[in-house]
Amino acid sequence: MNVFYRLVFLLSVLLAGPAIAATNTYEFSSPDEEERFKQLTEELRCLVCQNQSLADSNAGLADDLRNEVYDMVREGGDKGEIVDFLVQRYGDFVLYRPPVKSSTAFLWFGPFLFLLVAGILVLRFVRNRPKKVAELEFSEADKQRVAEALRAAEQEKGAR
Amino acid sequence: MGRYLIPLGVFLLLAVFLGVGLKLDPKKVPSPLVGKPAPEFKLARLREAQSTISHEDFKGKVSLLNVWATWCVSCRAEHGVLMELARADVVEIYGLNYKDVREDALRWLARYGDPYVDSAFDPDGRVGIDWGVYGTPETFVIDTDGIIRYKHIGPISAQDLQETILPLINELKSKRG
């Protein structure tokens, strides 16, 4: 039981991380505003600690950018405007969902290319196989040998 | 023979991709501001707090804008290089003191030397955001038309200066004439 409680404690500590991550508390005049703010800060990337979103990061810059996003949301800026504001300054890098354009084409379509190549290879492999199985044909002599072996096995059984 | 070349090809392709990946530094985010006019700003000077400095000050000459702070350890590391460059007198270096305390910044310059022809004071980092600053030090090379030509992320080493920044400054200068 002791172990169980320890595990529960450990788990709760681990899960508490995200709850304490965002430092400021923000007040909104409508649930819609709050939703927009949440969506934006979760979709935008912190440039300092690059594997965290603006919502998660404790970095000073993330805090500044959260405030910036908050101000823009309060002033009624829509998602596109706010995202553009950040992209103009920091580039596509701030987006967790990069736009489809020539420089990101490989990123978007590369996996399908690999899938296609892999598919062709598998197809070729599979097509080549049955031929070899078909080549294995039983001749009359083979059939006789099998029959003999079976008869011998039968006799051995009877002898026991 | 061909069937043995396929795994070899796959391996080489993977090796190339992983090799390129190793060379990339994820800390260096290319700036979308390169090739664009320097973002507009108007800030109090670090030294004469009553007067202001703006993007207009960059026009008509090649200049550097160095973003720094006293809390930034690697700014200290590049400071010697900036002092060296200032002494050579090839380009005007402007400072953007970022998210700092005025007294600390002035003390720092008094102690280690001041390579800047002029310094702007950005205590809340708002202008920093407009310039896409995400970590100090960062240095922008601005041409005579006030267009950003290059952004250096991280401390400038003597090698960076020799191989990249000085040749660019010379090129931009010769274009004017």
Side-chain angles (χ1 to χ4, degrees):
Chain A
M1 217 44 193
N2 204 357
V3 177
F4 175 73
Y5 282 122
R6 275 191 199 184
L7 274 177
V8 168
F9 174 72
L10 195 69
L11 205 68
S12 55
V13 169
L14 286 175
L15 292 177
I20 52 171
T23 44
N24 287 15
T25 47
Y26 294 97
E27 278 173 27
F28 297 93
S29 59
S30 71
D32 175 57
E33 266 184 10
E34 184 170 6
E35 187 53 35
R36 225 177 327 147
F37 178 76
K38 266 193 187 156
Q39 277 184 9
L40 278 163
T41 51
E42 275 163 19
E43 263 175 45
L44 294 166
R45 183 190 209 169
C46 171
L47 287 107
V48 182
C49 25
Q50 302 178 344
N51 290 327
Q52 284 186 308
S53 68
L54 283 188
D56 295 333
S57 176
N58 270 328
L61 179 72
D63 207 29
D64 292 353
L65 291 179
R66 269 200 299 273
N67 290 334
E68 204 75 20
V69 170
Y70 174 73
D71 289 347
M72 283 188 279
V73 166
R74 286 308 300 266
E75 282 158 19
D78 66 26
K79 260 179 91 172
E81 274 170 30
I82 299 171
V83 166
D84 282 349
F85 174 88
L86 287 165
V87 168
Q88 268 166 30
R89 286 159 180 75
Y90 293 99
D92 291 335
F93 202 88
V94 292
L95 306 172
Y96 266 126
R97 252 183 280 167
V100 183
K101 50 185 186 181
S102 60
S103 62
T104 58
F106 190 68
L107 186 72
W108 279 96
F109 304 112
F112 298 106
L113 192 76
F114 282 121
L115 195 69
L116 190 75
V117 170
I120 291 169
L121 287 178
V122 167
L123 209 69
R124 273 181 51 179
F125 183 71
V126 168
R127 270 200 189 150
N128 284 342
R129 246 170 41 147
K131 255 190 239 157
K132 280 172 195 157
V133 175
E135 278 165 16
L136 291 173
E137 276 178 16
F138 281 112
S139 63
E140 272 311 304
D142 287 332
K143 280 181 188 163
Q144 259 174 2
R145 271 175 60 197
V146 170
E148 259 169 48
L150 281 174
R151 224 176 295 134
E154 206 59 34
Q155 274 170 7
E156 207 174 295
K157 231 193 212 170
R160 243 191 248 166
Chain B
M1 193 57 199
R3 54 182 301 146
Y4 299 108
L5 285 178
I6 290 171
L8 185 70
V10 169
F11 169 75
L12 286 178
L13 195 71
L14 248 169
V16 166
F17 273 113
L18 294 176
V20 169
L22 271 180
K23 295 264 177 195
L24 292 174
D25 183 355
K27 288 272 162 217
K28 291 192 174 160
V29 181
S31 174
L33 294 171
V34 172
K36 301 221 173 87
E40 294 182 9
F41 72 93
K42 196 172 188 185
L43 278 176
R45 287 197 160 84
L46 184 63
R47 287 191 187 282
E48 298 108 36
Q50 302 80 14
S51 61
T52 56
I53 173 170
S54 80
H55 58 283
E56 300 282 346
D57 289 68
F58 300 140
K59 295 229 167 102
K61 71 211 166 207
V62 179
S63 39
L64 294 190
L65 180 71
N66 177 247
V67 186
W68 68 284
T70 54
W71 45 261
C72 151
V73 181
S74 38
C75 295
R76 176 79 191 87
E78 75 170 2
H79 197 71
V81 177
L82 289 180
M83 288 302 289
E84 218 33 65
L85 182 62
R87 263 194 291 273
D89 201 23
V90 287
V91 65
E92 296 201 347
I93 312 172
Y94 288 84
L96 178 64
N97 183 243
Y98 177 68
K99 296 186 79 168
D100 212 342
V101 178
R102 194 188 293 269
E103 292 72 42
D104 292 351
L106 290 172
R107 209 174 307 131
W108 204 81
L109 291 180
R111 186 163 165 200
Y112 300 116
D114 185 353
Y116 308 114
V117 291
D118 210 344
S119 283
F121 181 56
D122 184 22
D124 56 9
R126 283 264 163 149
V127 168
I129 290 178
D130 284 341
W131 281 72
V133 171
Y134 64 91
T136 46
E138 288 181 10
T139 306
F140 297 86
V141 181
I142 302 156
D143 74 8
T144 50
D145 300 322
I147 311 273
I148 295 176
R149 286 296 167 199
Y150 181 70
K151 178 184 182 184
H152 184 89
I153 294 156
I156 300 173
S157 66
Q159 195 187 4
D160 295 327
L161 197 64
Q162 285 299 328
E163 290 176 3
T164 318
I165 296 175
L166 277 179
L168 179 64
I169 289 171
N170 288 334
E171 188 196 319
L172 292 175
K173 273 184 164 178
S174 63
K175 252 183 208 162
R176 184 174 45 170

